[in-house]
Amino acid sequence: MMRIEQLLAQAEHIDSPTAQLDAELLLAFVLDKPRSYLYTWPEKTLTTAQLNSFAALLERRKRGEPVAYLLGRQGFWTLDLAVAAHTLIPRADTELLVEAVLQLADASAALNVLDLGTGSGALALAVASERQCWQVTGVDRIEAAVALAQDNQQQLGLSNVRFLRSDWFSAVAHQRYDLILSNPPYIAANDPHLQQGDVRFEPLSALVSGADGLDDIRLIIAQAPEYLTANGWLLLEHGFDQAAAVRELLHLSGFTKVSSQRDLGGHERISLGRLPSLS
Ligand code: GLN
């Protein structure tokens, strides 16, 4: 019989920078226990059914499948979210966008907020959970993403957010928002990183945007002024080397107070700008 400590040692067969953590998460998931249990009861053995499911998950992880897809869950901000293979796995870096949004407006103002390409709903739900008086709309072109975001909303019991199927702005014609945010696809089609690690299993529609990665960002920045109130803000996540290009696009579209902010790795990861009041 294999003990928990022996099973955890199999992490060495996972080719991942987080191999040990990955094995712990998979084993805790199979046992339906918190990770701390593994170190409190290292000598415990598993039932045959538990062993089989751990072996199957370990095998899939060895082939490269992201842990978040294997568990069907990923933490983002303060939230535990369901994720699925048709949406991007929420990243810690994207929490920077949540922080920036919360800094722009005090907690008392009742604002209308739009999240473009919401995927699992991560950004929309995080913002809605922090600002009960805001009305948040999350949109996604992919029907299954909208359904997943709605599932997450129900699990979290948030009533100030709704999700719609929309190809960028297509379903919100004539609406105006105080804040528009997006973590759009922004990777260049020929970027070699697409062939490495977890992203190989994520949908290209959530990752890739034309030859320079900026196709969707260009579209969003060009159209956003039509959907923003005067003095409204647009905030975008982008690639580590795209900040200067995104700031220029924001200026060209008439945005003011344009700036960028750095992520946990020190890269300029988000840029924002404010639409001036019409004179
Ligand atoms: N930051 C992600 C990555 O490099 C990409 C996310 C996106 O395209 N929006 O894997």
Side-chain angles (χ1 to χ4, degrees):
M1 290 296 272
M2 294 278 270
R3 298 190 303 273
I4 282 177
E5 57 193 344
Q6 292 170 303
L7 292 166
L8 284 180
Q10 301 196 9
E12 66 182 345
H13 303 298
I14 307 175
D15 179 19
S16 149
T18 54
Q20 185 65 34
L21 175 65
D22 296 357
E24 291 174 11
L25 289 168
L26 296 178
L27 191 51
F29 174 73
V30 165
L31 296 171
D32 197 19
K33 299 280 190 222
R35 253 166 72 217
S36 56
Y37 179 93
L38 307 174
Y39 292 96
T40 316
W41 304 105
E43 72 289 350
K44 279 226 189 238
T45 54
L46 276 64
T47 65
T48 310
Q50 286 170 333
L51 262 182
N52 288 342
S53 22
F54 178 66
L57 289 172
L58 193 69
E59 198 46 45
R60 287 170 66 188
R61 181 64 190 134
K62 281 197 238 164
R63 285 201 298 264
E65 268 186 77
V67 174
Y69 288 155
L70 297 176
L71 307 183
R73 317 237 25 120
Q74 173 70 32
F76 180 77
W77 196 247
T78 62
L79 313 175
D80 176 41
L81 298 174
V83 296
H86 45 263
T87 61
L88 190 80
I89 299 166
R91 315 275 206 269
D93 281 334
T94 304
E95 294 176 358
L96 178 62
L97 203 49
V98 180
E99 281 169 29
V101 169
L102 297 180
Q103 273 165 20
L104 283 180
D106 67 62
S108 60
L111 302 183
N112 272 318
V113 181
L114 177 65
D115 174 24
L116 294 167
T118 196
S120 61
L123 273 173
L125 293 164
V127 167
S129 74
E130 294 290 335
R131 294 283 190 265
Q132 306 292 333
C133 61
W134 290 7
Q135 289 299 322
V136 183
T137 302
V139 302
D140 205 284
R141 182 169 59 81
I142 307 215
E143 187 77 54
V146 175
L148 179 70
Q150 284 167 338
D151 283 350
N152 276 320
Q153 172 188 9
Q154 270 158 25
Q155 279 178 32
L156 295 166
L158 291 167
S159 56
N160 58 329
V161 50
R162 61 174 185 152
F163 293 101
L164 304 174
R165 209 192 78 75
S166 180
D167 189 358
W168 299 130
F169 297 99
S170 69
V172 295
H174 313 300
Q175 305 291 312
R176 298 254 177 196
Y177 297 89
D178 304 292
L179 298 167
I180 298 178
L181 51 143
S182 183
N183 174 17
Y186 53 69
I187 298 178
N190 64 356
D191 188 322
H193 291 108
L194 293 166
Q195 264 61 257
Q196 296 161 19
D198 285 10
V199 291
R200 288 171 300 160
F201 291 81
E202 292 181 287
L204 284 176
S205 62
L207 295 167
V208 172
S209 190
D212 63 355
L214 288 168
D215 280 5
D216 288 294
I217 286 181
R218 268 190 287 269
L219 185 149
I220 291 169
I221 292 177
Q223 296 190 5
E226 262 180 76
Y227 300 92
L228 279 168
T229 56
N231 296 317
W233 289 90
L234 172 64
L235 300 95
L236 295 168
E237 181 172 321
H238 50 66
F240 74 98
D241 55 356
Q242 293 172 332
V246 173
R247 287 195 300 268
E248 192 186 335
L249 289 165
L250 286 166
H251 283 301
L252 284 172
S253 250
F255 284 89
T256 59
K257 296 192 186 294
V258 172
S259 67
S260 302
Q261 293 181 19
R262 290 180 195 278
D263 65 14
L264 304 167
H267 298 113
E268 286 185 319
R269 178 63 61 186
I270 66 168
S271 293
L272 52 152
R274 186 179 211 180
L275 200 68
S277 43
L278 304 173
S279 48

